[in-house]
Amino acid sequence: MNGAQALIRTLVGAGVEVCFSNPGTSEMHFVAALDAVPDMRGVLCLFEGTATGAADGYGRMTGRPAAVLLHLGPGLGNGLANLHNARRAGSPLVLVVGDHATWHKRFDAPLESDIDALAGSVSGWTRRSLRSADVAADAAEAVAAASAGQVATLILPADVSWTDGAQPAPAIPARPPSPVPGEVLGDVAKALRGGEPALILLGGTAVRRPALEAASRIAAATGARLLAETFPARMERGAGLPAVARLAYLAEMAAPQLAGTRHLILAGARAPVSFFAYPGRPSSLVPDDCQVHVLAAGGDDAPGALIALADLVAADAAPTGAPAQRPAIPDGALTAESASAVIGALLPERAIVSDESNTSGIGLGPATGGAPPHDWLTLTGGAIGQGLPLAAGAAIASPDRPVIALESDGSAMYTISALWTHAREGLDVTTVIFSNRSYAILAMELDRVGAAGTAGDAARSLLDLSRPTLDFTALAAGMGVPATRARTTAKFAAQFEQALAEPGPHLIEAILP
Amino acid sequence: MNGAQALIRTLVGAGVEVCFSNPGTSEMHFVAALDAVPDMRGVLCLFEGTATGAADGYGRMTGRPAAVLLHLGPGLGNGLANLHNARRAGSPLVLVVGDHATWHKRFDAPLESDIDALAGSVSGWTRRSLRSADVAADAAEAVAAASAGQVATLILPADVSWTDGAQPAPAIPARPPSPVPGEVLGDVAKALRGGEPALILLGGTAVRRPALEAASRIAAATGARLLAETFPARMERGAGLPAVARLAYLAEMAAPQLAGTRHLILAGARAPVSFFAYPGRPSSLVPDDCQVHVLAAGGDDAPGALIALADLVAADAAPTGAPAQRPAIPDGALTAESASAVIGALLPERAIVSDESNTSGIGLGPATGGAPPHDWLTLTGGAIGQGLPLAAGAAIASPDRPVIALESDGSAMYTISALWTHAREGLDVTTVIFSNRSYAILAMELDRVGAAGTAGDAARSLLDLSRPTLDFTALAAGMGVPATRARTTAKFAAQFEQALAEPGPHLIEAILP
């Protein structure tokens, strides 16, 4: 068999079952090989950023990598922003970038560019397959590397793909997370028992139920406070799960959350830093006189460490679950607040929320905290254009669960063609566009960085999306997704309820003040 | 004044008058400074690839750089594909990439990534400004570097932008193209006079009128044949201009064009290579027994060399202009051929054509060769998603000229939000979407690479855009661009004529078999 067939068989053998694809000529043998390996599902995306964002969503939900097939350096370039988010999420992802045939490289054909430089910027593991006979072994290593929670990139020359003489390679066991040594547990236990104010910052896999319940027990027994990182990859929350607030995005709101802490214990989270720099303000958010303890860093078994720690310091404590409660649906014109109440009131059990609501979503946390248990996926790397692709991947990963994409109008436009993939694959994704006709977060940041004073019409026009207004119902219809528009809370509630009740994709344009 | 103000004043002083922008928080001081320097026009794009493609179009039409303002590594990533095309076009372009404040870098905040690696892959010149006092001098150097026909990237830390104490820097004269030495001219003249079959391959600035006329004189006097490179950045053509065919995209069609050539003379073009590699076929398209003469390479004054060469070998010869002639508009259902005839029949004088029609545009060359003089911009780097952004930049560069974007359906979707910029800026761009509901070029390439035999439904579904069909009239309406749809040649002709007659943007969805 040729290299492409051996590659795909190896991927399938290692548990990779979906390939989000935007191929070109150099990938045609990979594409043709999909028919020989029916266990690999090819999903077409009309833009590379949709493919990479979807694979990120798939990885967050399954813990296993999907593959992504991209075309040469420009295709990889288009996929980079959501690969950046995947890298920050610690998502497993196998990226296959087709390249020119080995002998063609030196001719510097028009599509030639430095693929390796781009791949290196987002990948924890990168390899260029040089022979058809090697590509299957390379692929097996890529899956193992990706499974550790990173982007693994295999650069695949066209001739390596089409040359015969390849054989599938056996799967390589993925390295499990490292257990946390007893001394570390002992040190943290000592800090928790010392009576000084302590705070456990949870992140990565430590914002899922087992870790949250362990942390809740520790908090109950020791008085330690709990916070989750600002942008978790996938947080389990809702009624019955321990309620843990997220560290605020704005440093001036995060500071009071952290104030007075003498022991900051990091469990799968990194030490908190300001998202951006601001004139005259510090980058680190760790309070003065606060000692930082790394219970579990990236690659460590954070849930296991928390459970072991709970058994040490909170053997008799029980976790506290959030009470089941939903907000009432208010009357009147639709606002960000009333939209949040509707979402909290109607969020279905086991929903997966892809949240790129930015400024419009500030009220979502409290409004949904008592809804039935659900998963919340956030913008881990800050590269906007994640929400619609991520929802596609989550829906493919979890076909029996409702997916809700909460999306800002400005962010939606970066990867709007993801709606077509929602339609083509018949995904049960309900997209809500929060349409405030501005880059509202930038209008806020303009002030926060101290630039608002000198900004006038020229500056503000670059933050304005109202001339012309975007009609998201037309955009959705153009890509085969049924869509409605709401200007009142009641209408939004009715449309949201109906979209959830019907299978397949829907879009609701929520017009906000 | 702060660094951002000094930077923008320096750009304006050096002749940079437009900044295609998709900013974020780290660029807010640059944005705010636009109000202090009204001679800089900020143009908002909803996706970075639109900004970079528009700047490419602007540079191709004016020969001067526009600026592009992008946000950190992910913003640059989204802009890379069209920067790749700009690099291959030899377009002047000043890229400003905002970065975190210098002291913030080490905290590895969520949006931190390797900007320098990405910038290096597309830039001929890259610098990271380190002090507010230096940024203006850096900007002046960037403009000079860009003016030589390359992407010049200035990485701008937020604190360098907002810190006071900067002053504008004077413009630095751009280095003119290098004159071609007399010995080179003499060697080429000797080859042309030797009586063996010679072919002059024209590219870069040598496909504009002065160079084309000189080449036409040389051909008339010596019998040399003329061809243009496959994908010129900007070719002047039409009635009265020398008719020069382009080298075919398909190697099997290019081979007969080049066959028999004993002397291949490169004037602003590179030695011809196959766009992609194919099993068992050579990458170089230079015939055996053919001597390659580099009359003018990149950075050389190719038009000047051709004029000097014409004075040497064709002192008494006159150029031959193409006759004025237009095709008749046929009856019946719309096809790629009949659409080409309509475009040839109606193309207005001084039109600028942004051509990303791919397989649908095969008949455009002959159909438009006798139309009134016009400029033709092609997909220089092969990274699709260029056409709509390029048209925006060309329209801003040449507000008194009609711009026509000929766009494939698949390619259009990569940067579809460029339509919003067409609408916001009121650009006189007529977009024709050739809607054949497939990646038709890939269906062709699947066969050419020898993979069609093993491809089945799974493979072919990845080349298919028909489930669901894209409704480009809805997409255009959603972004404020009036749109129509045509299925017959007569209707397409009527719609095309009306769109050209009315100011502002229009879109026509041309439904093809």
Side-chain angles (χ1 to χ4, degrees), chain A residues 211-311:
Chain A
L212 290 168
E213 291 185 340
S216 178
R217 291 168 58 204
I218 296 167
T222 69
R225 292 189 300 134
L226 304 179
L227 277 177
E229 61 188 347
T230 308
F231 293 113
R234 174 185 156 209
M235 185 164 181
E236 293 187 12
R237 59 196 299 278
L241 279 138
V244 177
R246 283 158 51 193
L247 187 70
Y249 164 73
L250 301 178
E252 55 268 36
M253 293 172 66
Q257 291 179 293
L258 297 167
T261 302
R262 298 295 301 272
H263 296 277
L264 178 63
I265 295 157
L266 303 176
R270 299 169 64 219
V273 300
S274 178
F275 204 85
F276 290 107
Y278 299 93
R281 296 196 219 156
S283 291
S284 171
L285 301 180
V286 177
D288 293 341
D289 302 323
C290 173
Q291 188 178 348
V292 176
H293 306 260
V294 180
L295 174 64
D300 293 340
D301 179 8
L306 284 163
I307 292 165
L309 186 63
D311 291 344

Side-chain angles (χ1 to χ4, degrees), chain A residues 183-194 222 265 309 312-313:
Chain A
E183 312 92 84
V184 172
L185 293 172
D187 285 349
V188 172
K190 188 174 162 198
L192 287 168
R193 290 177 177 133
T222 69
I265 295 157
L309 186 63
L312 268 182
V313 303

Side-chain angles (χ1 to χ4, degrees), chain B residues 55-267:
Chain B
D56 183 9
Y58 182 96
R60 293 192 199 185
M61 292 312 302
T62 62
R64 291 181 291 114
V68 173
L69 178 66
L70 301 181
H71 180 50
L72 294 159
L76 175 54
N78 280 335
L80 281 178
N82 275 331
L83 289 170
H84 171 84
N85 291 324
R87 176 170 78 93
R88 291 293 181 181
S91 289
L93 194 157
V94 173
L95 176 61
V96 179
V97 183
D99 195 4
H100 285 309
T102 49
W103 75 76
H104 197 62
K105 297 284 286 177
R106 74 176 176 87
F107 291 94
D108 193 31
L111 270 164
E112 179 67 30
S113 69
D114 189 348
I115 296 174
D116 305 72
L118 306 190
S121 75
V122 289
S123 311
W125 182 100
T126 305
R127 182 167 303 165
R128 176 179 287 278
S129 279
L130 294 175
R131 302 191 316 153
S132 180
D134 297 339
V135 69
D138 292 339
E141 281 194 55
V143 177
S147 299
Q150 58 188 352
V151 176
T153 300
L154 186 66
I155 302 172
L156 180 64
D159 54 331
V160 171
S161 213
W162 73 51
T163 301
D164 280 333
Q167 289 299 325
I172 297 172
R175 202 169 71 92
S178 305
V180 170
E183 311 91 86
V184 172
L185 294 172
D187 285 351
V188 172
K190 188 174 162 198
L192 287 168
R193 288 178 178 133
E196 292 187 316
L199 190 154
I200 305 175
L201 187 63
L202 304 163
T205 54
V207 292
R208 315 257 177 94
R209 184 185 285 269
L212 290 169
E213 292 185 341
S216 179
R217 290 168 58 203
I218 297 166
T222 69
R225 291 189 301 133
L226 305 179
L227 277 177
E229 61 187 348
T230 307
F231 292 114
R234 174 184 157 212
M235 185 165 182
E236 293 186 12
R237 59 196 298 277
L241 280 139
V244 177
R246 284 156 52 192
L247 187 69
Y249 165 72
L250 301 177
E252 54 269 37
M253 292 171 66
Q257 290 179 294
L258 296 167
T261 302
R262 298 296 301 272
H263 297 277
L264 178 62
I265 296 157
L266 303 176

Side-chain angles (χ1 to χ4, degrees), chain A residues 22 25 29 35 77 84 88 104 108-110 112 270 274 283 414 420 424 445 449 456 458-459 461 464 467-468 471 478, chain B residues 22 25 29 35 77 84 88 104 108-110 112 270 274 283 414 420 424 445 449 456 458-459 461 464 467-468 471 478:
Chain A
N22 188 262
T25 297
H29 282 87
D35 282 286
H84 171 84
R88 291 293 181 180
H104 197 61
D108 192 30
E112 178 67 32
R270 299 169 64 219
S274 178
S283 291
Y414 289 75
W420 183 84
R424 166 172 274 214
E445 294 283 18
V449 301
S461 81
D464 168 70
R467 296 175 294 112
D471 178 345
Chain B
N22 188 263
T25 297
H29 282 86
D35 281 285
H84 171 84
R88 291 293 181 181
H104 197 62
D108 193 31
E112 179 67 30
R270 300 169 62 219
S274 178
S283 292
Y414 290 75
W420 183 84
R424 166 173 273 214
E445 295 283 16
V449 301
S461 79
D464 168 69
R467 295 176 294 109
D471 178 346

